[in-house]
């Protein structure tokens, strides 16, 4: 009795390959039922044609999507496979060329685990590279740009992490066009992400598009193990429940529940953009009677601005009380004209009247004048550190030297490493109820115009919500908060004295 193509493929995988990682390492490679269901869609036929031109497989992270693609890639390219396409031509696109290499690497590891690594090779020169087998099959890497796949002729097109690709429809259209001559298929996987074309195909699949999707539904409790299992069909055999619980606890403590839902529950939202601090968290910190403890040290976050941007400072006292001050130059336009230009009306004039905003002489904020006003704002408190963007280090050091101010500088980058740590520290402090401040409409304005851009690695960076947004106070806030938390959580030095 002849097996159906899918069953023959599963039997071939189990007989020829083993798991290369995880708790099943070394065991025969048998795909889980939810993975097999997707493969059956891919291999379904309508006569001589594929039953589905596009097959989408959308799940939360770490559900074996890359493993399934690597198995299918080997199945189509290796001559002994029951689904082999002679002289197969394939292409893979992903958010980056390095990301696309993950499928190649997984395929090579499968071959190496059973002593077949001499049957295929990854060639990385010329960049971005390609994967080929002894049988003459070849798979090329594409960068993920809008021109990817243009002019190609493919039996198989794969898009890994399609939801994280740049939001350009031409890439998907190019790949579909590349299938025309060979009557091929496109396989797209990944979390829902932010790519509109990918989400449109999931929500409104046209004829010829098959969608396999797992994720939480509206109203689900993101912290419920029942939700975790329903959204993650591989929870247990592929991703451990303990790992999910750790990720959830981490998200709760850092205030990143939406990010958790996007990556671990495949919830449709915008994981690439989120607020620094939710308004209820900020309002909970308002206390008009609060103030610093007499004589306690403070930590300053400083964002130096040019002609258009504010120069801003946030003072974070060790007890968690916050003060702030910002400045604009008084030329070439007035505060009212700046407010009109920036689309915030009379907010700058109101902040000036409230004492949160000053003007300095000239067309660029005068740093000595600003430092004098900042020192007065701090009051009789020692400054433990002043944190600033390392790009402006020389400017700050020069100003401090000329003013004779002995503050200890702490320089930070705004990339995903320092920026992500500073953002998480700020959220942690506000979520814990550790911060107190008097209401500031200027800070509310800055936070309302501040987005946190989330990369596909999960790291966050501050970003403007529009071209004219002024987020200098938000930048200063995360610098000051992270310095204060770093000091709080520092492990005190212990000395051991041996008396002779």
């Amino acid at each position: 009795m002849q097996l159906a193509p899918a069953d023959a493929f599963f039997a071939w995988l189990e007989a020829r390959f083993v798991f290369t990682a995880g708790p099943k390492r070394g065991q025969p490679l048998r795909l889980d039922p939810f993975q097999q269901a997707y493969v059956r869609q891919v291999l379904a036929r309508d006569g001589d044609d594929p039953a589905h031109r596009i097959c989408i497989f959308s799940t939360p992270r770490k559900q074996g999507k890359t493993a399934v693609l690597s198995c299918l890639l080997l199945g189509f390219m290796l001559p002994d496979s029951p689904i082999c396409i002679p002289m197969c031509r394939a292409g893979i696109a992903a958010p980056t060329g390095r990301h696309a290499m993950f499928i190649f690497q997984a395929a090579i590891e499968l071959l190496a685990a059973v002593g077949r690594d001499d049957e295929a090779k990854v060639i990385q020169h010329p960049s971005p590279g390609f994967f080929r087998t002894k049988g003459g099959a070849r798979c090329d890497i594409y960068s993920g740009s809008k021109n990817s796949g243009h002019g190609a002729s493919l039996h198989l097109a794969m898009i890994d992490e399609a939801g994280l690709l740049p939001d350009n429809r031409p890439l998907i259209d190019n790949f579909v066009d590349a299938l025309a001559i060979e009557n091929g298929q496109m396989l797209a996987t990944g979390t829902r992400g932010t790519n509109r074309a990918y989400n449109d195909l999931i929500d409104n699949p046209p004829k010829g598009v098959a969608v396999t999707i797992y994720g939480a539904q509206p109203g689900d409790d993101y912290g419920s193990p029942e939700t975790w299992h329903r959204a993650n069909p591989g929870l247990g055999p592929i991703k451990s429940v303990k790992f999910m619980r750790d990720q959830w606890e981490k998200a709760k403590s850092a205030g990143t529940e939406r990010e958790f839902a996007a990556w671990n529950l495949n919830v449709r939202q915008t994981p690439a953009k989120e607020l620094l601090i939710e308004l209820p968290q900020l309002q909970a910190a308002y206390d008009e009677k609060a103030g610093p403890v007499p004589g306690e040290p403070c930590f300053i976050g400083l964002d130096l601005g040019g002609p258009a941007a504010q120069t801003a400072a946030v003072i974070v006292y060790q007890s968690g009380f916050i003060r702030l001050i910002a400045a604009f130059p008084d030329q070439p336009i007035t505060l009212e004209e700046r407010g009109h230009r920036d689309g915030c009306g009379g907010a700058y004039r109101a902040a000036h009247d409230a004492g949160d905003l000053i003007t300095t002489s000239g067309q660029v904020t005068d740093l000595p004048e600003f430092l004098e006003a900042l020192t007065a704002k701090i009051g009789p408190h020692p400054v433990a550190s002043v944190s600033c963007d390392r790009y402006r280090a020389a400017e700050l050091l020069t100003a401090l030297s000329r003013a004779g101010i002995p503050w200890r500088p702490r320089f930070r980058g705004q990339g995903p490493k320092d920026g992500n740590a500073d953002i998480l520290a700020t959220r942690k402090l506000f979520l814990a109820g550790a911060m107190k401040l008097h209401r500031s409409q200027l800070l509310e304005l800055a936070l309302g115009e501040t987005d946190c851009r989330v990369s596909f690695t999960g790291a966050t960076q501050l970003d403007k919500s529009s071209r004219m947004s002024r987020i200098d106070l938000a930048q200063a806030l995360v610098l000051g908060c992270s310095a204060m938390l770093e000091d709080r959580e520092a492990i005190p030095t212990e000395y051991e004295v041996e008396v002779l």
Side-chain angles (χ1 to χ4, degrees), residues 59-79:
T59 74
R61 284 183 170 176
K62 301 302 179 183
Q63 294 297 295
K65 297 186 293 293
T66 299
V68 171
L69 289 186
S70 63
C71 288
L72 283 167
L73 184 64
L74 290 179
F76 288 126
M77 295 182 71
L78 293 178

Side-chain angles (χ1 to χ4, degrees), residues 295-300 315-318 321 378-379 381-386 484:
E296 69 173 328
C298 64
F299 305 83
I300 300 171
I315 308 155
V316 182
Y317 295 88
Q318 195 171 52
F321 182 67
I378 293 168
H381 296 270
V383 174
S385 69
V386 55
M484 187 271 273

Side-chain angles (χ1 to χ4, degrees), residues 9 134 155 236 347 420 500:
F9 174 63
K134 281 186 175 179
H155 296 93
N420 183 66
L500 299 177

